[in-house]
Amino acid sequence: GDSVTQMEGPVTLSEEAFLTINCTYTATGYPSLFWYVQYPGEGLQLLLKATKADDKGSNKGFEATYRKETTSFHLEKGSVQVSDSAVYFCALREETGNQFYFGTGTSLTVIP
Amino acid sequence: NAGVTQTPKFQVLKTGQSMTLQCAQDMNHEYMSWYRQDPGMGLRLIHYSVGAGITDQGEVPNGYNVSRSTTEDFPLRLLSAAPSQTSVYFCASSPRIYNSPLHFGNGTRLTVT
């Protein structure tokens, strides 16, 4: 079945460092791919999405590119801030549209 | 824009008690779902619905019931609470379009003693 594998955390970075959180997936067909962010005590918020191969999703300085050939959707940001400290989830929606699959989440802490 | 509204935000139950977690959305989404989030376990799907009158089980359905009598509401019932059901519960909804994301509520933190 479909699945999402996400880089284990926790990740600790200094402010202005470069961030990469790896995400790979297994799916039949052409799923849609998402990154969500969860701040402490809150629900998950959509950060960005990509719905077809080679699409790049971007938001708030974060980017991820849908790579069909490597079945990956890695999250990147060039310069992290303390306010980016949160848990990040990679997710896919299968092509038929009825099911979502989530990675286990990666906790990011950014220190000043 | 209310989005997905969950009530209550916090709840403490004793073992064996029953309760209903409420979830309502005002976006006319066909798809609704319930997840539980436990430390180190990520999100696990409990039940989902693709429209009024239709529900199905997810990964961890035991001990929970759902119904979907309207498009807007998708309550989750705990029949006889157990300490293993201590968790944070999230309701989420989406249009039934393959490239649409899930919209999440802010969660209900449940403790069963």
Side-chain angles (χ1 to χ4, degrees), chain A residues 9-68:
Chain A
V11 174
T12 303
L13 293 174
S14 296
E15 207 164 20
E16 299 183 3
F18 185 86
L19 169 71
T20 300
I21 301 177
N22 290 338
C23 171
T24 57
Y25 67 90
T26 302
T28 54
Y30 295 87
S32 295
L33 302 175
F34 308 94
W35 276 101
Y36 285 85
V37 59
Q38 184 181 32
Y39 299 103
E42 298 184 11
L44 279 72
Q45 304 172 25
L46 179 69
L47 181 59
L48 53 83
K49 72 174 189 179
T51 58
K52 61 182 187 296
D54 300 325
D55 262 4
K56 178 185 281 189
S58 62
N59 186 25
K60 299 181 183 179
F62 291 90
E63 294 183 340
T65 301
Y66 188 144
R67 301 286 188 203
K68 182 74 172 168

Side-chain angles (χ1 to χ4, degrees), chain A residues 30-32 34 36 38 41-46 49 51 87 89 93-105, chain B residues 31 33 35 37 40-43 45 48 50 57 88 90 94-107 109:
Chain A
Y30 295 87
S32 295
F34 308 94
Y36 285 85
Q38 184 181 32
E42 298 184 11
L44 279 72
Q45 304 172 25
L46 179 69
K49 72 174 189 179
T51 58
V87 180
F89 291 89
R93 183 172 193 170
E94 61 181 17
E95 193 175 10
T96 61
N98 281 345
Q99 294 290 354
F100 290 83
Y101 298 87
F102 284 83
T104 53
Chain B
Y31 182 93
S33 54
Y35 290 86
Q37 184 178 32
M41 302 289 290
L43 292 167
L45 181 65
Y48 67 97
V50 297
Q57 296 182 351
V88 181
F90 289 101
S94 176
R96 275 197 75 183
I97 304 169
Y98 81 99
N99 59 3
S100 293
L102 273 174
H103 299 254
F104 283 84
N106 283 331
R109 185 173 295 274

Side-chain angles (χ1 to χ4, degrees), chain A residues 61-75:
Chain A
F62 291 90
E63 294 183 340
T65 301
Y66 188 144
R67 301 286 188 203
K68 182 74 172 168
E69 64 276 12
T70 55
T71 62
S72 64
F73 192 54
H74 304 321
L75 182 69

